[in-house]
Amino acid sequence: MRNDTVYSVTQVNQHIKALLDSDGALSGVLVRGELSNYKMYPSGHHYFSMKDEGGAIRCVMFRREASALRFRPENGMKVVAFGRVTVFPRDGQYQLYVNELTPDGVGDLHVAFEQLKAKLFAQGLFDQGHKKPIPRFPLRIALVTSPAGAAVRDMLRILSARWPMAEVAVVPVRVQGAEAPEEIAAALGWVNRNRLADLIITGRGGGSMEDLWAFNEEIVARAIYASRIPVISAVGHEPDVTIADFVADLRAATPSNAAELAVPDRNDVYGRLSQLSVRMGQAASRRLNEARGKLERLSGSRALQDPMNVIQDRRVLLDYQRARLADRLERTLGRERQQFARLAAALDAMSPLKVLARGYAIPMDSTGAVVRSVKSVSPGDRLELRVSDGSINVTVNAPERSTDRNGRKKIDL
Protein backbone atom coordinates (compact mmCIF):
# COMPACT_ATOMS: atom_id res chain seq x y z
CA MET A 1 0.00 0.00 0.00
CA ARG A 2 1.38 3.35 -1.06
CA ASN A 3 2.16 5.89 1.62
CA ASP A 4 1.70 9.44 0.27
CA THR A 5 3.70 11.02 3.09
CA VAL A 6 6.82 12.71 1.80
CA TYR A 7 9.95 12.30 3.97
CA SER A 8 13.18 14.21 3.80
CA VAL A 9 16.44 12.40 3.25
CA THR A 10 17.45 13.11 6.82
CA GLN A 11 14.18 11.66 8.12
CA VAL A 12 14.73 8.47 6.12
CA ASN A 13 18.28 8.13 7.40
CA GLN A 14 17.17 8.82 10.96
CA HIS A 15 14.41 6.22 10.64
CA ILE A 16 16.86 3.60 9.37
CA LYS A 17 19.28 4.51 12.15
CA ALA A 18 16.54 4.06 14.73
CA LEU A 19 15.66 0.66 13.29
CA LEU A 20 19.27 -0.51 13.43
CA ASP A 21 19.88 0.91 16.90
CA SER A 22 16.81 -0.89 18.19
CA ASP A 23 18.01 -4.25 16.82
CA GLY A 24 19.70 -5.95 19.76
CA ALA A 25 21.56 -8.33 17.44
CA LEU A 26 23.40 -5.41 15.87
CA SER A 27 24.20 -3.52 19.05
CA GLY A 28 26.98 -5.92 20.04
CA VAL A 29 28.11 -7.97 17.07
CA LEU A 30 31.32 -9.88 16.33
CA VAL A 31 32.47 -9.64 12.72
CA ARG A 32 35.32 -11.62 11.12
CA GLY A 33 37.03 -10.35 7.99
CA GLU A 34 40.14 -9.00 6.30
CA LEU A 35 41.33 -5.44 6.84
CA SER A 36 41.34 -3.17 3.82
CA ASN A 37 42.02 0.55 3.21
CA TYR A 38 43.20 1.00 6.77
CA LYS A 39 43.93 4.65 7.61
CA MET A 40 44.87 6.42 10.83
CA TYR A 41 43.95 10.10 10.88
CA PRO A 42 45.68 12.85 12.91
CA SER A 43 42.56 13.03 15.04
CA GLY A 44 43.39 9.55 16.34
CA HIS A 45 40.36 7.93 14.69
CA HIS A 46 40.91 4.82 12.55
CA TYR A 47 38.89 4.23 9.37
CA PHE A 48 38.95 0.99 7.40
CA SER A 49 36.90 -1.72 5.73
CA MET A 50 36.42 -5.38 6.53
CA LYS A 51 35.82 -7.75 3.67
CA ASP A 52 35.46 -11.40 2.77
CA GLU A 53 34.77 -13.25 -0.45
CA GLY A 54 31.13 -12.13 -0.48
CA GLY A 55 31.18 -8.46 0.51
CA ALA A 56 32.60 -5.58 2.54
CA ILE A 57 31.53 -3.30 5.38
CA ARG A 58 32.85 0.12 6.34
CA CYS A 59 34.22 0.49 9.86
CA VAL A 60 35.36 3.24 12.21
CA MET A 61 37.27 3.00 15.49
CA PHE A 62 37.38 6.18 17.51
CA ARG A 63 40.51 7.45 19.24
CA ARG A 64 39.64 6.22 22.73
CA GLU A 65 39.12 2.64 21.57
CA ALA A 66 42.07 2.76 19.13
CA SER A 67 44.48 3.86 21.87
CA ALA A 68 43.86 0.55 23.62
CA LEU A 69 45.18 -1.47 20.67
CA ARG A 70 48.26 -3.51 21.53
CA PHE A 71 49.18 -4.32 17.93
CA ARG A 72 49.41 -2.34 14.71
CA PRO A 73 46.59 -3.22 12.28
CA GLU A 74 47.72 -3.70 8.69
CA ASN A 75 45.94 -4.23 5.40
CA GLY A 76 45.34 -7.90 4.65
CA MET A 77 45.35 -8.91 8.32
CA LYS A 78 42.60 -11.30 9.41
CA VAL A 79 40.78 -9.84 12.39
CA VAL A 80 37.68 -10.14 14.54
CA ALA A 81 35.92 -6.87 15.37
CA PHE A 82 33.38 -6.27 18.12
CA GLY A 83 31.04 -3.31 17.88
CA ARG A 84 27.64 -2.05 16.79
CA VAL A 85 26.14 -1.52 13.36
CA THR A 86 24.40 1.80 12.71
CA VAL A 87 23.92 4.51 10.12
CA PHE A 88 25.75 7.78 9.86
CA PRO A 89 22.84 10.04 8.89
CA ARG A 90 24.89 12.59 7.02
CA ASP A 91 25.77 10.26 4.13
CA GLY A 92 23.28 7.44 4.68
CA GLN A 93 26.04 4.82 4.92
CA TYR A 94 25.75 2.12 7.49
CA GLN A 95 28.99 1.05 9.16
CA LEU A 96 30.44 -0.90 12.00
CA TYR A 97 31.52 1.19 15.00
CA VAL A 98 34.36 -0.95 16.40
CA ASN A 99 35.01 -1.09 20.14
CA GLU A 100 37.54 -3.96 20.12
CA LEU A 101 39.79 -5.40 17.42
CA THR A 102 41.81 -8.60 17.77
CA PRO A 103 43.79 -10.69 15.28
CA ASP A 104 41.92 -13.75 14.09
CA GLY A 105 43.47 -17.00 15.29
CA VAL A 106 46.21 -15.49 17.54
CA GLY A 107 46.18 -13.11 20.45
CA ASP A 108 46.75 -9.41 19.97
CA LEU A 109 49.69 -9.50 22.38
CA HIS A 110 51.43 -12.10 20.26
CA VAL A 111 50.95 -10.01 17.13
CA ALA A 112 52.17 -6.88 18.91
CA PHE A 113 55.23 -8.77 20.17
CA GLU A 114 56.18 -10.00 16.70
CA GLN A 115 55.58 -6.62 15.10
CA LEU A 116 57.76 -4.77 17.61
CA LYS A 117 60.41 -7.47 17.45
CA ALA A 118 60.63 -7.16 13.65
CA LYS A 119 60.73 -3.36 13.84
CA LEU A 120 63.52 -3.16 16.43
CA PHE A 121 65.52 -5.89 14.70
CA ALA A 122 65.41 -3.93 11.44
CA GLN A 123 66.62 -0.82 13.31
CA GLY A 124 69.64 -2.68 14.75
CA LEU A 125 68.65 -2.72 18.43
CA PHE A 126 69.45 -6.44 18.65
CA ASP A 127 72.90 -6.24 16.98
CA GLN A 128 75.63 -8.11 18.83
CA GLY A 129 78.08 -5.35 17.99
CA HIS A 130 76.16 -3.02 20.31
CA LYS A 131 76.32 -5.36 23.30
CA LYS A 132 78.50 -4.08 26.14
CA PRO A 133 80.68 -6.49 28.16
CA ILE A 134 79.52 -7.32 31.66
CA PRO A 135 82.10 -6.16 34.26
CA ARG A 136 83.83 -9.10 35.88
CA PHE A 137 83.98 -7.59 39.37
CA PRO A 138 81.26 -4.92 39.63
CA LEU A 139 81.50 -2.60 42.60
CA ARG A 140 77.96 -1.14 42.38
CA ILE A 141 74.85 -2.89 41.07
CA ALA A 142 71.44 -1.28 40.50
CA LEU A 143 68.34 -3.50 40.61
CA VAL A 144 65.58 -1.80 38.59
CA THR A 145 62.62 -3.87 39.74
CA SER A 146 59.74 -4.02 42.15
CA PRO A 147 60.88 -3.66 45.78
CA ALA A 148 58.28 -6.24 46.80
CA GLY A 149 58.13 -9.89 45.83
CA ALA A 150 60.37 -12.92 45.82
CA ALA A 151 62.45 -11.87 42.80
CA VAL A 152 64.22 -8.94 44.46
CA ARG A 153 64.76 -10.89 47.68
CA ASP A 154 66.34 -13.77 45.74
CA MET A 155 68.68 -11.42 43.89
CA LEU A 156 69.76 -9.62 47.07
CA ARG A 157 70.38 -12.91 48.85
CA ILE A 158 72.44 -14.39 46.01
CA LEU A 159 74.46 -11.21 45.42
CA SER A 160 75.27 -10.95 49.10
CA ALA A 161 76.30 -14.59 49.33
CA ARG A 162 78.39 -14.65 46.17
CA TRP A 163 80.02 -11.20 46.19
CA PRO A 164 79.38 -9.17 49.37
CA MET A 165 81.96 -6.58 48.27
CA ALA A 166 79.49 -5.14 45.76
CA GLU A 167 77.20 -2.29 46.79
CA VAL A 168 73.63 -3.11 45.70
CA ALA A 169 70.92 -0.45 45.30
CA VAL A 170 67.27 -1.24 44.61
CA VAL A 171 65.63 1.30 42.29
CA PRO A 172 61.91 0.70 42.93
CA VAL A 173 59.55 0.65 39.94
CA ARG A 174 56.27 -0.95 39.03
CA VAL A 175 56.79 -3.96 36.79
CA GLN A 176 53.16 -4.56 35.84
CA GLY A 177 50.36 -2.32 34.66
CA ALA A 178 49.96 0.66 32.36
CA GLU A 179 52.41 2.88 34.30
CA ALA A 180 55.17 0.26 34.52
CA PRO A 181 56.90 0.82 31.13
CA GLU A 182 57.45 4.53 31.68
CA GLU A 183 58.69 3.97 35.24
CA ILE A 184 61.19 1.30 34.13
CA ALA A 185 62.49 3.47 31.29
CA ALA A 186 62.77 6.51 33.56
CA ALA A 187 64.65 4.52 36.21
CA LEU A 188 67.15 3.22 33.65
CA GLY A 189 67.78 6.77 32.44
CA TRP A 190 68.14 8.07 36.01
CA VAL A 191 70.76 5.44 36.93
CA ASN A 192 72.73 6.32 33.78
CA ARG A 193 72.57 10.07 34.26
CA ASN A 194 73.86 9.82 37.82
CA ARG A 195 76.32 6.96 37.14
CA LEU A 196 74.96 5.10 40.13
CA ALA A 197 76.19 1.66 39.13
CA ASP A 198 78.64 -0.39 37.10
CA LEU A 199 75.90 -2.84 36.20
CA ILE A 200 72.10 -2.79 35.97
CA ILE A 201 69.75 -5.74 36.44
CA THR A 202 66.14 -5.16 35.43
CA GLY A 203 63.30 -7.64 35.47
CA ARG A 204 60.70 -9.35 37.57
CA GLY A 205 59.43 -12.78 38.53
CA GLY A 206 57.30 -15.05 36.41
CA GLY A 207 53.74 -14.50 35.23
CA SER A 208 51.47 -14.52 32.21
CA MET A 209 52.30 -12.69 29.00
CA GLU A 210 50.06 -9.85 30.18
CA ASP A 211 51.96 -9.70 33.49
CA LEU A 212 55.34 -9.48 31.71
CA TRP A 213 54.15 -7.07 29.03
CA ALA A 214 55.90 -4.02 30.46
CA PHE A 215 59.18 -5.54 29.26
CA ASN A 216 57.75 -5.87 25.74
CA GLU A 217 57.10 -2.15 25.39
CA GLU A 218 59.16 -0.10 22.94
CA ILE A 219 59.96 2.61 25.50
CA VAL A 220 61.68 0.06 27.76
CA ALA A 221 63.58 -1.51 24.83
CA ARG A 222 64.93 1.87 23.73
CA ALA A 223 65.90 2.81 27.29
CA ILE A 224 67.94 -0.41 27.59
CA TYR A 225 69.54 0.22 24.19
CA ALA A 226 70.46 3.78 25.16
CA SER A 227 72.01 2.74 28.50
CA ARG A 228 75.74 3.40 28.75
CA ILE A 229 75.85 0.99 31.69
CA PRO A 230 75.64 -2.74 30.84
CA VAL A 231 72.16 -4.19 31.42
CA ILE A 232 71.17 -7.75 32.33
CA SER A 233 67.52 -8.61 31.67
CA ALA A 234 65.90 -10.99 34.16
CA VAL A 235 62.25 -11.41 33.25
CA GLY A 236 60.10 -14.36 34.26
CA HIS A 237 61.19 -17.98 33.95
CA GLU A 238 63.34 -19.88 31.46
CA PRO A 239 60.66 -20.22 28.72
CA ASP A 240 59.66 -16.54 28.94
CA VAL A 241 61.22 -14.33 26.29
CA THR A 242 60.62 -10.58 26.09
CA ILE A 243 61.77 -7.76 23.84
CA ALA A 244 63.99 -6.58 26.71
CA ASP A 245 65.90 -9.89 26.48
CA PHE A 246 66.81 -9.21 22.86
CA VAL A 247 68.03 -5.66 23.53
CA ALA A 248 69.86 -6.25 26.82
CA ASP A 249 73.59 -6.87 26.90
CA LEU A 250 72.97 -10.21 28.60
CA ARG A 251 69.81 -12.26 29.10
CA ALA A 252 69.29 -14.26 32.28
CA ALA A 253 66.78 -17.08 32.50
CA THR A 254 65.47 -15.88 35.86
CA PRO A 255 66.19 -13.09 38.38
CA SER A 256 68.20 -15.58 40.45
CA ASN A 257 70.23 -16.52 37.39
CA ALA A 258 70.84 -12.81 36.71
CA ALA A 259 72.41 -12.43 40.15
CA GLU A 260 74.64 -15.44 39.47
CA LEU A 261 75.74 -14.02 36.12
CA ALA A 262 76.32 -10.54 37.53
CA VAL A 263 79.02 -11.40 40.08
CA PRO A 264 81.59 -14.14 40.60
CA ASP A 265 81.39 -16.59 43.47
CA ARG A 266 83.75 -15.39 46.18
CA ASN A 267 84.60 -18.98 47.08
CA ASP A 268 85.77 -19.60 43.52
CA VAL A 269 87.79 -16.39 43.60
CA TYR A 270 89.35 -17.28 46.94
CA GLY A 271 90.18 -20.72 45.63
CA ARG A 272 91.75 -19.24 42.53
CA LEU A 273 93.75 -16.78 44.61
CA SER A 274 94.98 -19.63 46.81
CA GLN A 275 96.11 -21.55 43.73
CA LEU A 276 97.90 -18.49 42.39
CA SER A 277 99.54 -17.90 45.77
CA VAL A 278 100.87 -21.46 45.80
CA ARG A 279 102.09 -21.16 42.23
CA MET A 280 103.77 -17.84 42.99
CA GLY A 281 105.50 -19.37 46.02
CA GLN A 282 106.68 -22.31 43.94
CA ALA A 283 107.92 -20.02 41.20
CA ALA A 284 109.77 -17.82 43.70
CA SER A 285 111.34 -20.88 45.36
CA ARG A 286 112.40 -22.24 41.98
CA ARG A 287 113.99 -18.93 40.99
CA LEU A 288 115.73 -18.71 44.34
CA ASN A 289 117.16 -22.22 43.98
CA GLU A 290 118.36 -21.43 40.47
CA ALA A 291 120.03 -18.23 41.68
CA ARG A 292 121.61 -20.09 44.62
CA GLY A 293 122.99 -22.75 42.31
CA LYS A 294 124.40 -20.13 39.97
CA LEU A 295 126.01 -18.33 42.88
CA GLU A 296 127.62 -21.56 44.07
CA ARG A 297 128.99 -22.25 40.60
CA LEU A 298 130.37 -18.74 40.32
CA SER A 299 131.85 -18.79 43.81
CA GLY A 300 133.81 -21.92 42.87
CA SER A 301 135.21 -20.42 39.69
CA ARG A 302 138.92 -19.57 39.35
CA ALA A 303 138.10 -15.96 38.42
CA LEU A 304 136.56 -15.26 41.80
CA GLN A 305 139.01 -17.33 43.84
CA ASP A 306 142.21 -15.87 42.28
CA PRO A 307 141.40 -12.86 40.07
CA MET A 308 145.10 -11.97 39.45
CA ASN A 309 145.79 -15.34 37.85
CA VAL A 310 142.95 -14.69 35.43
CA ILE A 311 144.38 -11.25 34.68
CA GLN A 312 147.83 -12.77 34.02
CA ASP A 313 146.26 -15.30 31.67
CA ARG A 314 144.59 -12.49 29.80
CA ARG A 315 147.89 -10.58 29.58
CA VAL A 316 149.64 -13.61 28.06
CA LEU A 317 146.79 -14.04 25.59
CA LEU A 318 146.98 -10.33 24.73
CA ASP A 319 150.72 -10.55 24.04
CA TYR A 320 150.18 -13.60 21.86
CA GLN A 321 147.48 -11.84 19.88
CA ARG A 322 149.67 -8.71 19.54
CA ALA A 323 152.56 -10.80 18.15
CA ARG A 324 150.28 -12.56 15.68
CA LEU A 325 148.85 -9.23 14.55
CA ALA A 326 152.32 -7.68 14.07
CA ASP A 327 153.55 -10.70 12.09
CA ARG A 328 150.52 -10.67 9.84
CA LEU A 329 150.86 -6.92 9.32
CA GLU A 330 154.54 -7.28 8.34
CA ARG A 331 153.73 -10.02 5.81
CA THR A 332 150.98 -7.93 4.35
CA LEU A 333 153.23 -4.85 4.02
CA GLY A 334 155.91 -6.97 2.32
CA ARG A 335 153.44 -8.20 -0.29
CA GLU A 336 152.23 -4.66 -0.89
CA ARG A 337 155.80 -3.33 -1.30
CA GLN A 338 156.58 -6.00 -3.91
CA GLN A 339 153.41 -5.21 -5.76
CA PHE A 340 154.22 -1.49 -5.68
CA ALA A 341 157.73 -2.09 -7.09
CA ARG A 342 156.34 -4.14 -9.97
CA LEU A 343 153.80 -1.50 -10.87
CA ALA A 344 156.39 1.32 -10.60
CA ALA A 345 158.76 -0.52 -12.94
CA ALA A 346 156.00 -1.10 -15.48
CA LEU A 347 154.97 2.56 -15.30
CA ASP A 348 158.58 3.74 -15.69
CA ALA A 349 159.01 1.54 -18.76
CA MET A 350 156.07 3.24 -20.40
CA SER A 351 157.17 6.77 -19.41
CA PRO A 352 157.72 9.17 -22.36
CA LEU A 353 160.78 10.52 -20.55
CA LYS A 354 162.52 7.23 -21.24
CA VAL A 355 161.85 7.70 -24.96
CA LEU A 356 163.22 11.24 -24.88
CA ALA A 357 166.39 10.03 -23.19
CA ARG A 358 167.12 7.90 -26.24
CA GLY A 359 167.35 11.03 -28.45
CA TYR A 360 163.78 11.54 -29.46
CA ALA A 361 161.87 14.85 -29.24
CA ILE A 362 158.19 15.68 -28.92
CA PRO A 363 156.98 18.61 -31.09
CA MET A 364 154.14 20.71 -29.63
CA ASP A 365 152.35 23.65 -31.19
CA SER A 366 151.59 26.99 -29.57
CA THR A 367 148.59 25.51 -27.71
CA GLY A 368 150.68 22.75 -26.19
CA ALA A 369 149.14 20.05 -28.37
CA VAL A 370 151.46 17.32 -29.68
CA VAL A 371 152.11 17.57 -33.43
CA ARG A 372 151.32 14.17 -34.81
CA SER A 373 151.29 14.90 -38.57
CA VAL A 374 153.04 17.19 -41.03
CA LYS A 375 149.63 18.20 -42.23
CA SER A 376 148.93 20.01 -39.00
CA VAL A 377 151.77 22.62 -39.45
CA SER A 378 152.63 25.29 -42.00
CA PRO A 379 155.77 27.36 -42.78
CA GLY A 380 156.27 30.03 -40.14
CA ASP A 381 154.52 28.09 -37.36
CA ARG A 382 156.24 28.22 -34.00
CA LEU A 383 156.84 24.85 -32.39
CA GLU A 384 158.35 23.66 -29.14
CA LEU A 385 160.50 20.56 -29.21
CA ARG A 386 160.47 18.71 -25.92
CA VAL A 387 163.74 16.81 -25.33
CA SER A 388 165.01 14.84 -22.35
CA ASP A 389 166.62 17.78 -20.56
CA GLY A 390 164.32 20.65 -21.64
CA SER A 391 162.68 22.21 -24.66
CA ILE A 392 163.74 23.97 -27.90
CA ASN A 393 161.66 26.66 -29.66
CA VAL A 394 161.82 26.34 -33.49
CA THR A 395 160.11 27.79 -36.56
CA VAL A 396 158.84 25.78 -39.49
CA ASN A 397 160.56 27.21 -42.65
CA ALA A 398 160.47 24.43 -45.21
CA PRO A 399 158.15 25.51 -48.00
CA GLU A 400 157.59 21.95 -48.98
CA ARG A 401 157.54 18.62 -47.20
CA SER A 402 160.06 15.95 -48.03
CA THR A 403 160.66 12.43 -46.90
CA ASP A 404 163.54 10.96 -44.91
CA ARG A 405 165.58 7.97 -45.90
CA ASN A 406 163.00 5.67 -44.41
CA GLY A 407 160.32 7.13 -46.65
CA ARG A 408 158.76 9.22 -43.92
CA LYS A 409 157.89 12.86 -44.60
CA LYS A 410 160.00 15.44 -42.83
CA ILE A 411 159.79 19.13 -42.16
CA ASP A 412 162.72 21.56 -42.35
CA LEU A 413 163.01 23.72 -39.27
Side-chain angles (χ1 to χ4, degrees):
M1 182 177 67
R2 177 175 178 178
N3 186 347
D4 293 331
T5 304
V6 178
Y7 298 97
S8 66
V9 173
T10 301
Q11 289 175 323
V12 174
N13 286 343
Q14 291 289 354
H15 181 72
I16 296 173
K17 175 177 172 59
L19 291 175
L20 294 177
D21 290 346
S22 63
D23 189 339
L26 299 177
S27 62
V29 63
L30 289 169
V31 181
R32 175 184 286 112
E34 179 182 312
L35 292 180
S36 175
N37 298 320
Y38 202 98
K39 296 179 181 179
M40 293 177 285
Y41 282 80
S43 62
H45 305 324
H46 294 202
Y47 295 89
F48 55 96
S49 295
M50 293 179 63
K51 63 180 183 177
D52 58 19
E53 62 279 1
I57 182 173
R58 295 177 61 181
C59 306
V60 60
M61 194 174 194
F62 293 122
R63 179 175 58 188
R64 186 180 64 179
E65 288 78 12
S67 63
L69 286 173
R70 296 191 177 185
F71 70 102
R72 184 177 66 257
E74 298 174 348
N75 289 328
M77 183 180 291
K78 303 288 186 181
V79 296
V80 174
F82 173 76
R84 59 189 177 88
V85 178
T86 187
V87 169
F88 185 45
R90 190 185 67 182
D91 57 12
Q93 295 278 348
Y94 82 91
Q95 53 190 359
L96 177 63
Y97 288 77
V98 179
N99 295 326
E100 296 177 9
L101 191 66
T102 58
D104 187 18
V106 294
D108 57 347
L109 292 181
H110 178 76
V111 173
F113 177 87
E114 294 298 332
Q115 286 178 337
L116 182 58
K117 178 182 174 183
K119 174 184 175 181
L120 299 183
F121 175 81
Q123 294 178 0
L125 270 69
F126 302 163
D127 289 349
Q128 288 298 318
H130 184 75
K131 307 292 186 185
K132 295 174 287 296
I134 304 301
R136 189 173 181 183
F137 303 103
L139 298 178
R140 297 176 299 168
I141 302 174
L143 305 182
V144 179
T145 187
S146 171
V152 68
R153 291 195 298 271
D154 289 342
M155 286 191 287
L156 291 173
R157 175 179 54 81
I158 293 173
L159 291 172
S160 176
R162 289 175 63 87
W163 198 246
M165 291 74 83
E167 177 184 345
V168 182
V170 178
V171 182
V173 294
R174 279 177 281 193
V175 294
Q176 185 174 337
E179 299 84 2
E182 291 188 0
E183 287 191 11
I184 297 170
L188 291 171
W190 181 72
V191 173
N192 273 271
R193 285 191 302 274
N194 294 280
R195 300 297 300 175
L196 298 180
D198 306 316
L199 178 65
I200 298 173
I201 302 176
T202 184
R204 53 154 295 158
S208 65
M209 191 172 190
E210 289 81 2
D211 295 336
L212 307 180
W213 191 254
F215 295 92
N216 287 320
E217 291 287 355
E218 184 172 354
I219 187 174
V220 173
R222 294 197 179 278
I224 294 174
Y225 183 80
S227 175
R228 298 185 303 273
I229 302 173
V231 177
I232 299 178
S233 66
V235 184
H237 301 302
E238 175 64 36
D240 299 321
V241 179
T242 64
I243 297 295
D245 294 329
F246 292 110
V247 185
D249 300 297
L250 181 64
R251 182 219 174 212
T254 63
S256 298
N257 179 237
E260 294 171 351
L261 295 174
V263 296
D265 188 337
R266 61 176 174 176
N267 294 324
D268 294 340
V269 175
Y270 291 157
R272 177 62 175 166
L273 290 176
S274 297
Q275 293 177 357
L276 291 176
S277 177
V278 171
R279 290 176 59 184
M280 288 177 62
Q282 292 173 344
S285 177
R286 184 168 57 253
R287 291 288 299 274
L288 184 60
N289 290 334
E290 291 174 355
R292 184 180 292 110
K294 185 176 182 180
L295 178 61
E296 291 175 355
R297 290 192 300 273
L298 291 175
S299 63
S301 67
R302 182 166 173 263
L304 292 179
Q305 292 180 350
D306 193 354
M308 291 306 299
N309 284 340
V310 176
I311 294 175
Q312 294 297 335
D313 292 345
R314 293 294 184 270
R315 285 177 176 172
V316 172
L317 180 62
L318 180 61
D319 291 340
Y320 173 72
Q321 295 292 349
R322 183 186 296 111
R324 288 185 59 194
L325 180 61
D327 181 65
R328 180 170 298 180
L329 180 62
E330 185 63 30
R331 289 199 303 270
T332 301
L333 289 175
R335 288 195 300 270
E336 295 299 327
R337 289 192 188 100
Q338 294 175 2
Q339 178 70 9
F340 177 77
R342 288 194 298 271
L343 293 176
L347 181 62
D348 184 65
M350 294 185 294
S351 172
L353 297 178
K354 290 288 187 179
V355 178
L356 296 179
R358 294 197 297 269
Y360 291 93
I362 301 174
M364 294 178 290
D365 60 18
S366 59
T367 64
V370 176
V371 178
R372 300 179 182 278
S373 172
V374 296
K375 297 179 180 180
S376 61
V377 297
S378 302
D381 288 350
R382 300 282 297 176
L383 299 179
E384 180 184 355
L385 295 181
R386 181 72 180 272
V387 294
S388 61
D389 59 349
S391 60
I392 304 172
N393 293 322
V394 298
T395 301
V396 178
N397 55 20
E400 294 181 356
R401 299 174 178 81
S402 59
T403 58
D404 62 9
R405 61 183 177 180
N406 292 325
R408 293 176 295 191
K409 290 187 178 181
K410 60 181 181 178
I411 301 173
D412 292 332
L413 302 175

